[in-house]
Amino acid sequence: MSLEKQRGRKLETTETTLGGAFYPFYQWVFGEDSEFVKNVERKLAQARMADNVEMFLSRALAVGLIAGIGLWILGMITGWLFVQTFVDGALLGIQIPESLEALRLLRTPLIVLISGILFGTIGFIIGFGSVVSIPYFRAGGREREINTLMPDGIAFMYALSVGGMNQLEILRAMAKADDTYGELSKEFQSIVLETEYFDTDYRTAVR
């Protein structure tokens, strides 16, 4: 089965989800060769998140739009209250000459519109950014944990090597020690999986 067919089947099973509902919007926003999409897909893999990048970004867009619409409404209400309190109210009481009647008529809708757009943009950025940042934070956490455990892992593998184990046995031992070496062990699990089930040379799998 081709990659495109597999991807299409995954999309069909998620049509009723939030990501599936916003998938057409994802297609409209991001092109097929988007570098941003490729970066997010790479971070999803590094974070070991099973999400499909298309559905993940579709959900992020959905969250961003929902947050944006919510803050857009809040922004318009805030703008209207600002006009009533500070512009037309007793606090400032700004008066516009009759010669600028058109500006006076447009003053309130312009302030309401601008505040709505400003709040809505902020809401979309916060909603979309908070979802997209998840794999970046998780990947960074995994990287820090792996770097911390690497010296202990190397010492463990050296001890096994001195004890007479061959390279493949050492890789399997590291893969099984996930209770001790955590994310480092999971990387070795991927190596073992590739060597045992995909007939890949372990040197190639390590690379």
Side-chain angles (χ1 to χ4, degrees), residues 10-42:
K10 288 181 180 179
L11 295 179
E12 289 176 1
T13 59
T14 55
E15 285 180 350
T16 58
T17 66
L18 188 63
F22 280 82
Y23 181 71
F25 185 56
Y26 159 83
Q27 291 179 308
W28 180 73
V29 173
F30 299 106
E32 294 183 359
D33 298 325
S34 172
E35 286 297 325
F36 176 74
V37 174
K38 293 178 182 178
N39 289 335
V40 173
E41 186 174 23
R42 183 163 53 250

Side-chain angles (χ1 to χ4, degrees), residues 50-183:
D51 300 76
N52 180 287
V53 65
E54 290 93 345
M55 290 298 100
F56 179 79
L57 287 176
S58 297
R59 287 196 301 272
L61 288 171
V63 173
L65 283 175
I66 292 172
I69 291 173
L71 284 185
W72 172 64
I73 295 173
L74 178 62
M76 289 195 299
I77 295 174
T78 302
W80 182 81
L81 291 175
F82 175 82
V83 171
Q84 298 301 314
T85 304
F86 294 98
V87 179
D88 292 335
L91 292 179
L92 292 180
I94 299 175
Q95 299 296 327
I96 296 179
E98 293 184 2
S99 59
L100 300 176
E101 182 68 16
L103 180 60
R104 187 181 69 82
L105 293 175
L106 293 175
R107 178 181 58 190
T108 298
L110 279 176
I111 293 176
V112 171
L113 178 63
I114 292 173
S115 63
I117 293 175
L118 179 62
F119 275 65
T121 302
I122 294 173
F124 176 81
I125 292 173
I126 292 175
F128 180 76
S130 62
V131 176
V132 172
S133 64
I134 292 174
Y136 287 84
F137 282 116
R138 290 187 181 179
R142 291 192 70 244
E143 182 180 4
R144 288 189 295 272
E145 182 177 342
I146 290 172
N147 290 336
T148 301
L149 294 172
M150 184 66 74
D152 293 335
I154 293 174
F156 176 65
M157 288 187 289
Y158 175 75
L160 295 178
S161 176
V162 172
M165 277 192 178
N166 60 40
Q167 288 89 341
L168 289 177
E169 290 173 337
I170 292 173
L171 294 177
R172 294 191 186 100
M174 279 295 299
K176 293 178 181 178
D178 54 348
D179 56 337
T180 304
Y181 297 105
E183 295 297 333

